[in-house]
Amino acid sequence: MPQKKVFLFKKPGCMPCEVMERELSVVLENTSPELELKIIDLSEFPEIGERMDIQSTPALLFLKDGKIVDVIHGVVNREYLQKSVLEFINL
């Protein structure tokens, strides 16, 4: 079974990051509660952001078996998030 994870990269005080985290939590709860969400604070772990080439926040990465299969930069609406999550879990 493939290992799938979702990473949300954010920074403190970033209001778009808070919106994205809230919306993503709702989408995951409603579509795939088993999908693992990791939230990375780039002020605490800048080296992870550098390694993953994160240029701005919020950034959402979908990983399957350790490989990036999709990236979302910035805030998107709930419908777009839901579509992206459903496509990801069906890979």
Side-chain angles (χ1 to χ4, degrees):
M1 177 173 249
Q3 185 180 22
K4 296 179 181 179
K5 295 182 182 176
V6 179
F7 287 84
L8 175 62
F9 292 87
K10 61 185 241 175
K11 291 183 179 178
C14 170
M15 290 311 295
C17 298
E18 299 303 320
V19 170
M20 191 70 157
E21 182 177 355
R22 205 169 39 246
E23 292 296 312
L24 183 58
S25 294
V26 170
V27 167
L28 290 177
E29 185 178 307
N30 291 332
T31 58
S32 54
E34 74 285 350
L35 193 58
E36 188 175 359
L37 173 63
K38 300 281 188 182
I39 298 174
I40 309 293
D41 182 335
L42 290 178
S43 67
E44 293 182 31
F45 303 102
E47 67 281 357
I48 296 174
E50 290 172 14
R51 192 172 14 166
M52 302 299 275
D53 197 30
I54 303 300
Q55 302 294 319
S56 62
T57 58
L60 187 61
L61 272 65
F62 295 88
L63 279 80
K64 178 181 174 186
D65 296 326
K67 295 182 180 168
I68 299 171
V69 295
D70 195 10
V71 179
I72 297 174
H73 296 281
V75 177
V76 295
N77 64 38
R78 188 178 295 177
E79 291 77 22
Y80 187 88
L81 269 178
Q82 185 167 346
K83 178 180 174 280
S84 297
V85 167
L86 289 171
E87 286 175 2
F88 179 61
I89 60 176
N90 289 316
L91 283 178

